[in-house]
């Protein structure tokens, strides 16, 4: 294998290391009850209608736990029953369910933690009428332009949920923290039975007792939420932005999760013992290959003709022409404006998105067989590209003009005669979306030629035959789970040739025997090495999380040092300040090193893995860049298992994930041959969606 720079980070997973839970003390200070319901409708009614009366601190229902509702309260089981009888009537309550004291078997760690979270209601948001389900925290208030003044738009909220960790990761702790970001109206819409067909806006008021609906417009403490079904909300996992903007840091998801758990520790720590997020010493692959593949991509296409043609009507002709011109001038590609595809060569049809064809009831080009090597581009993306390109190009021209003027002035000085100007010109404008299109064309060309050439397979020294396989599933209308059709596989020879591409039913007697016996319902993908060892990979529910609170505290400490220095030097001259520049404290001091980032951002950068046992590993794939200021998303944790005593050989495959051409300039969570396999199956079955 090629030389790899291995480091030892501390991946941080969203799994809690709890001390011994003091169940006796919890039972002494609080009452724990179970409402056992007779059916789902009854359970849902209790969840909706039980009031957060004095003494009832939190309730939790679990979809995977029959019809039980778990209650944490300051009142006894009998008092709780009396309150429910007052609410529903004694006879009705008998029909609806029974109440009993929670037993030790039911007081599992994740359930206790969730109830404790739900009970922290002073600064949290609840479902419409109770503290059931999840802990919420308001992160941001966004003004929506079409909402009448002085009313406001949405609130972004964080949802924190405690669940049992995957079986393979119970060695790290007994509770996993799941967290997600959403708009409050999306969270509450079902609970308040909001009908967007009747009302454009829903009116909510939030106070310490929960969420109230139907409030009069004269009420001062309220918000207006626009009902939008396809609304997306996102904040970075960690973003420490500029020194003048603390908002991004404070609203980073990992900072909020840590702050909430700090509050939980402060309030209930005596019952839970000391706890923290799980850490483990794993191995990480630091391998920035972006420039290698960028140069390989540009060199491959500079002398090859690519046909781009507009399938969205004459109204977009001018826009497409501008796009073609920008691609030509930026990359010197031979881009040909065409009216249709060529039977051979590269084709880039500009089309509408899938929703457009669904709404119009006309055939979607995505679902039709293609000729040549084809990569679709969507017209809405082209519009965004050209908007950004125009702005970036103007900025580049300004910087270039300034550079040329300063260079001319410097060179005209007699002192500099014969010397080389010491500064470099500004980097030219790039169009990442164009590079992504050409990367996909390169991958599809490899498949057409049955040869892995984008990745230099032979040079990476993979001897023998390597087989990659993945399940093929489809989604049926009205069903959440995808239906398994079978599995697809291909083999790559030691010289990079792709052979034996095929699709098989799960138990095909004529299929590859090691693969037909696998449980493809659960497997994400499988790999067979030349020795015949099989490694299976499964996606877990666990993910990584940055230690946002530690980063925040480091930055706050650095900011204090900066403020003290500025106070100390406020009367200094510019010359004095310049002479003392090396002593000026920096906001990112102590953070920007690779070692520090591995400590506090481990599991979210690079490719890392940890050996649970000889036949079980876990791995994560984070950002490829060495992040300076932001990490957008958490990384999913995957489980690797060997079959029938085989060896784990996955360390040989990690370089196949540190490639920037499957997802542009990002690592890929699966070895890139799985991408080749997926693209081959799509070519054979255009109507299929992954």
């Amino acid at each position: 294998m090629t030389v790899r720079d291995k480091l030892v980070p501390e991946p941080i997973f969203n799994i809690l290391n709890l001390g011994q839970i003091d169940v006796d003390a919890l039972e002494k200070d609080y009452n724990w009850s179970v409402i056992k319901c007779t059916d789902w409708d009854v359970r849902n009614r209790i969840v909706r209608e039980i009031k957060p009366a004095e003494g009832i601190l939190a309730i939790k229902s679990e979809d995977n736990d029959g019809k039980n509702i778990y209650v944490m309260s300051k009142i006894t089981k009998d008092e709780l029953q009396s309150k429910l009888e007052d609410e529903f009537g004694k006879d009705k309550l008998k029909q609806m369910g029974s109440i009993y004291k929670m037993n030790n078997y039911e007081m599992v760690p994740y359930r206790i933690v969730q109830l404790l979270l739900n009970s922290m209601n002073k600064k949290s948001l609840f479902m419409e009428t109770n503290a059931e389900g999840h802990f919420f925290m308001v992160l941001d208030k966004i003004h929506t332009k079409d909402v009448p003044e002085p009313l406001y738009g949405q609130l972004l909220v964080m949802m924190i949920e405690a669940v049992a960790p995957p079986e393979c990761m119970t060695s790290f702790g007994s509770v996993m923290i799941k967290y997600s970001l959403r708009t409050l109206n999306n969270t509450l819409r079902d609970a308040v039975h909001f009908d967007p067909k009747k009302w454009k806006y829903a009116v909510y008021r939030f106070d310490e007792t929960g969420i109230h609906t139907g409030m009069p417009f004269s009420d001062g403490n309220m918000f207006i939420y626009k009902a939008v079904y396809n609304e997306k909300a996102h904040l970075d996992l960690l973003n420490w932005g500029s020194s003048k903007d603390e908002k991004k840091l404070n609203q980073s998801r990992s900072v909020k999760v840590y702050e909430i758990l700090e509050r939980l520790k402060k309030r209930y720590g005596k019952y839970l013992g000391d706890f923290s997020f799980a850490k483990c010493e794993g191995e990480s692959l630091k391998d920035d290959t972006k420039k290698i593949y960028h140069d390989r991509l540009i060199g491959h296409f500079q002398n090859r003709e690519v046909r781009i043609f507009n399938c969205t009507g004459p109204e977009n002709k001018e826009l497409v022409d501008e796009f073609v011109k920008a691609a030509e001038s930026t990359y010197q590609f031979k881009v040909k404006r065409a009216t249709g595809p060529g039977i051979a060569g590269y084709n880039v049809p500009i089309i509408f998105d899938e929703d457009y064809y669904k709404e119009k009831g006309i055939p979607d080009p995505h679902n039709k067989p293609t000729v040549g090597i084809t990569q679709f581009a969507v017209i809405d993306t082209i519009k965004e590209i050209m908007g950004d390109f125009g702005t970036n190009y103007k900025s580049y021209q300004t910087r270039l003009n300034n550079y040329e003027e300063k260079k001319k002035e410097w060179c005209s000085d007699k002192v500099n005669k014969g010397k080389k100007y010491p500064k470099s010109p500004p980097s030219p404008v790039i169009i990442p979306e164009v590079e992504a299109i050409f990367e996909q064309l390169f991958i599809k060309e490899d498949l057409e030629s049955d040869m892995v050439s984008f990745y230099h397979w032979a040079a990476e020294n993979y001897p023998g035959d390597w087989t990659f396989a993945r399940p093929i599933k489809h989604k049926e209308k009205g069903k959440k789970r995808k239906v398994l059709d079978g599995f697809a596989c291909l083999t790559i020879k030691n010289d990079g040739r792709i052979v034996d591409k095929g699709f098989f039913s799960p138990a095909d007697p004529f299929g590859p025997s090691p693969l037909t016996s696998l449980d493809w319902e659960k497997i994400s993908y499988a790999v067979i090495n030349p020795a015949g060892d099989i490694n299976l990979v499964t996606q877990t529910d666990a993910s990584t999380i940055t230690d946002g609170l530690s980063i925040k505290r480091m930055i706050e400490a650095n900011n204090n040092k900066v403020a003290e220095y500025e106070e100390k030097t406020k009367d200094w001259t510019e010359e004095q300040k310049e002479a003392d520049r090396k002593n000026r404290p920096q906001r990112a001091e102590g953070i920007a090193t690779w070692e520090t980032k591995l400590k506090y951002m481990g599991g979210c950068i690079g490719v890392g893995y940890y050996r649970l046992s000889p036949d079980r590993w876990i791995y994560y794939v984070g950002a490829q860049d060495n992040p300076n200021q932001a990490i957008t998303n958490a990384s999913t944790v995957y489980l690797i298992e060997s079959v029938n005593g085989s060896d784990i050989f996955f360390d040989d495959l990690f370089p196949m994930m540190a490639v920037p051409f499957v997802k542009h300039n990002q690592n890929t969570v699966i070895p890139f041959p799985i991408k080749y396999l997926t693209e081959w199956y799509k070519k054979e079955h255009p109507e299929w969606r992954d």
Side-chain angles (χ1 to χ4, degrees):
M1 303 298 294
T2 55
V3 176
R4 301 186 179 100
D5 182 10
K6 288 187 176 179
L7 300 170
V8 181
E10 289 187 308
I12 304 170
F13 304 106
N14 56 2
I15 292 178
L16 287 182
N17 278 320
L18 292 175
Q20 183 66 37
I21 295 180
D22 193 341
V23 175
D24 292 338
L26 284 169
E27 289 185 319
K28 180 181 177 182
D29 293 344
Y30 304 98
N31 288 294
W32 307 83
S33 306
V34 181
I35 305 173
K36 195 170 187 67
C37 304
T38 53
D39 57 44
W40 288 106
D41 290 338
V42 168
R43 190 202 73 155
N44 293 337
R45 184 184 169 193
I46 292 177
V47 167
R48 286 197 306 267
E49 298 183 20
I50 186 173
K51 299 295 187 259
E54 183 180 353
I56 300 177
L57 300 177
I59 68 174
K60 173 177 174 55
S61 61
E62 298 172 20
D63 290 341
N64 62 345
D65 189 48
K67 309 175 185 70
N68 292 350
I69 300 173
Y70 300 92
V71 183
M72 174 187 176
S73 66
K74 292 294 284 186
I75 58 177
T76 66
K77 175 188 76 67
D78 293 338
E79 290 171 324
L80 173 63
Q81 180 155 345
S82 178
K83 284 185 176 292
L84 292 175
E85 287 174 354
D86 292 342
E87 183 71 30
F88 296 105
K90 192 171 185 178
D91 293 337
K92 188 67 176 175
L93 185 62
K94 283 183 180 179
Q95 298 174 16
M96 293 170 65
S98 60
I99 302 175
Y100 63 88
K101 184 178 181 298
M102 198 183 302
N103 58 48
N104 289 338
Y105 176 76
E106 291 168 319
M107 293 190 71
V108 293
Y110 79 87
R111 190 173 291 140
I112 290 174
V113 171
Q114 185 65 64
L115 285 165
L116 295 177
L117 280 170
N118 291 349
S119 71
M120 295 164 54
N121 60 11
K122 292 298 181 184
K123 293 185 178 180
S124 61
L125 298 181
F126 311 129
M127 300 301 279
E128 182 194 6
T129 57
N130 59 45
E132 191 275 332
H134 309 290
F135 180 98
F136 291 99
M137 174 174 281
V138 178
L139 293 186
D140 195 14
K141 184 166 62 178
I142 301 177
H143 181 63
T144 305
K145 291 181 180 179
D146 58 348
V147 175
E149 294 285 357
L151 306 175
Y152 286 91
Q154 356 164 331
L155 290 184
L156 294 185
V157 297
M158 179 80 80
M159 184 185 81
I160 310 293
E161 182 181 8
V163 297
E167 181 273 330
C168 65
M169 300 189 71
T170 53
S171 58
F172 295 119
S174 55
V175 178
M176 186 169 74
I177 297 297
K178 295 179 71 174
Y179 53 95
S180 61
L181 188 73
R182 59 185 65 188
T183 54
L184 183 62
N185 63 293
N186 283 355
T187 304
L188 296 176
R189 184 167 45 236
D190 293 336
V192 300
H193 310 295
F194 178 67
D195 184 357
K197 295 179 181 177
K198 291 183 179 180
W199 304 100
K200 186 176 181 182
Y201 302 105
V203 185
Y204 303 114
R205 188 189 72 189
F206 161 59
D207 61 28
E208 291 183 358
T209 63
I211 292 292
H212 307 275
T213 60
M215 305 307 298
F217 278 81
S218 59
D219 192 297
N221 186 18
M222 71 172 180
F223 303 98
I224 298 291
Y225 299 93
K226 188 179 179 184
V228 181
Y229 271 98
N230 296 321
E231 200 162 29
K232 293 182 179 179
H234 188 83
L235 290 177
D236 288 333
L237 181 69
L238 178 69
N239 189 344
W240 37 287
S242 67
S243 59
K244 297 179 181 178
D245 182 14
E246 294 293 331
K247 184 177 179 181
K248 289 181 179 179
L249 174 65
N250 292 331
Q251 291 184 348
S252 297
R253 286 176 286 156
S254 65
V255 172
K256 290 301 179 187
V257 172
Y258 268 84
E259 286 178 345
I260 289 168
L261 292 179
E262 285 284 301
R263 287 173 51 197
L264 180 68
K265 181 187 293 188
K266 185 176 180 180
R267 185 163 177 179
Y268 294 115
K270 66 178 182 179
Y271 305 109
L272 303 177
D274 191 28
F275 61 81
S276 61
F277 278 112
K279 298 184 181 183
C280 64
E281 289 191 352
E283 293 184 82
S284 177
L285 174 67
K286 180 186 176 185
D287 187 13
D288 189 354
T289 56
K290 284 193 298 184
K291 188 176 188 310
I292 295 172
Y293 286 103
H294 180 270
D295 293 346
R296 198 173 293 173
L297 178 75
I298 302 304
H300 184 76
F301 281 101
Q302 277 187 336
N303 295 313
R304 305 184 184 211
E305 185 177 89
V306 178
R307 300 166 62 92
I308 296 182
F309 48 97
N310 176 26
C311 302
T312 64
E315 64 273 17
N316 291 315
K317 180 181 181 301
E318 186 175 337
L319 176 67
V320 174
D321 287 346
E322 289 178 10
F323 171 69
V324 171
K325 185 178 179 181
E328 284 178 319
S329 61
T330 304
Y331 297 103
Q332 288 77 54
F333 290 152
K334 295 171 65 177
V335 182
K336 178 182 179 181
R337 297 168 179 81
T339 57
I343 296 176
Y346 309 104
N347 298 307
V348 181
I350 309 295
I351 63 173
F352 295 107
D353 63 18
E354 292 178 304
D355 290 339
Y356 173 88
Y357 297 104
K358 286 181 182 177
E359 291 173 7
K360 297 292 184 181
I362 55 180
D364 185 344
H366 288 100
N367 300 334
K368 297 179 180 179
T370 57
V371 296
I373 301 168
T374 300
Q375 176 63 30
F376 292 107
V378 176
I379 190 65
D380 289 344
T381 303
I382 302 299
K383 291 176 182 177
E384 293 177 11
I385 290 172
M386 296 315 299
D388 293 341
F389 179 78
T391 302
N392 294 338
Y393 191 76
K394 287 180 182 178
S395 174
Y396 165 70
Q397 282 298 130
T398 300
R399 286 182 282 115
L400 183 62
N401 291 340
N402 291 338
Y403 168 82
E404 294 294 348
E405 288 177 7
K406 290 180 180 179
K407 180 180 178 181
K408 183 178 180 180
E409 181 181 346
W410 187 89
C411 292
S412 64
D413 193 327
K414 294 180 180 179
V415 177
N416 299 321
K417 187 175 182 180
K419 297 180 182 179
K420 183 181 179 181
Y421 187 53
K423 295 186 178 181
S424 302
S427 299
V429 179
I430 62 170
I431 313 175
E433 295 84 355
V434 169
E435 294 181 19
I437 289 172
F438 280 79
E439 284 167 351
Q440 297 307 306
L441 288 173
F442 203 152
I443 290 171
K444 292 175 179 179
E445 182 182 6
D446 275 1
L447 283 167
E448 287 287 315
S449 62
D450 286 329
M451 176 64 72
V452 176
S453 58
F454 203 164
Y455 182 92
H456 288 180
W457 185 274
E460 290 288 341
N461 189 24
Y462 284 99
D465 296 352
W466 291 76
T467 298
F468 299 83
R470 58 152 298 169
I472 300 296
K473 301 179 180 180
H474 72 275
K475 190 171 183 179
E476 292 187 352
K477 192 173 182 181
K479 292 185 178 180
K480 290 185 178 180
R481 288 188 62 183
K482 291 184 177 181
V483 178
L484 177 68
D485 299 319
F487 66 91
C489 59
L490 59 73
T491 297
I492 303 179
K493 310 290 282 187
N494 63 344
D495 59 358
R497 284 181 296 125
I498 303 172
V499 299
D500 299 334
K501 299 190 292 278
F503 168 77
F504 305 90
S505 63
D508 189 337
F510 301 104
S513 58
L515 298 173
T516 52
S517 60
L518 302 178
D519 185 358
W520 288 104
E521 287 283 3
K522 298 178 181 179
I523 301 168
S524 297
Y525 62 92
V527 184
I528 306 176
N529 71 359
D533 297 324
I534 304 177
N535 283 188
L536 309 181
V537 177
T538 307
Q539 181 177 330
T540 74
D541 291 331
S543 60
T544 59
I545 183 171
T546 57
D547 189 348
L549 201 55
S550 293
I551 295 288
K552 179 181 177 181
R553 287 168 177 165
M554 289 179 69
I555 290 174
E556 287 173 345
N558 289 343
N559 282 346
N560 290 335
K561 292 179 183 177
V562 170
E564 291 171 3
Y565 181 84
E566 289 177 346
E567 177 64 25
K568 170 186 168 183
T569 61
K570 65 181 180 181
D571 297 326
W572 287 16
T573 64
E574 291 301 319
E575 290 78 10
Q576 287 176 307
K577 291 179 181 179
E578 182 65 26
D580 197 55
R581 174 182 285 187
K582 65 179 181 179
N583 296 320
R584 177 182 174 86
Q586 300 297 317
R587 182 172 187 260
E589 188 174 338
I591 299 174
T593 67
W594 182 257
E595 289 75 18
T596 300
K597 287 176 180 177
L598 284 174
K599 182 175 181 181
Y600 294 115
M601 306 177 192
C604 294
I605 54 177
V607 179
Y609 56 98
Y610 177 76
R611 296 173 171 88
L612 296 170
S613 66
D615 58 354
R616 287 184 125 196
W617 296 9
I618 52 175
Y619 81 88
Y620 62 85
V621 178
Q624 187 175 56
D625 287 332
N626 182 357
N628 292 319
Q629 293 183 324
I631 293 178
T632 305
N633 292 311
S635 304
T636 299
V637 175
Y638 286 81
L639 171 67
I640 310 164
E641 295 179 284
S642 65
V643 176
N644 299 329
S646 298
D647 292 333
I648 296 281
F649 52 78
F650 224 80
D651 46 344
D652 290 336
L653 302 181
F654 285 117
M656 299 183 197
M657 301 178 185
V659 294
F661 57 79
V662 173
K663 297 177 70 176
H664 182 66
N665 280 353
Q666 300 178 55
N667 290 322
T668 173
V669 297
I670 56 177
F672 77 85
I674 302 293
K675 165 68 173 177
Y676 278 53
L677 181 57
T678 302
E679 289 300 326
W680 167 77
Y681 190 80
K682 283 182 180 178
K683 177 80 172 178
E684 297 293 310
H685 305 273
E687 73 288 349
W688 178 72
R689 292 292 177 269
D690 195 4

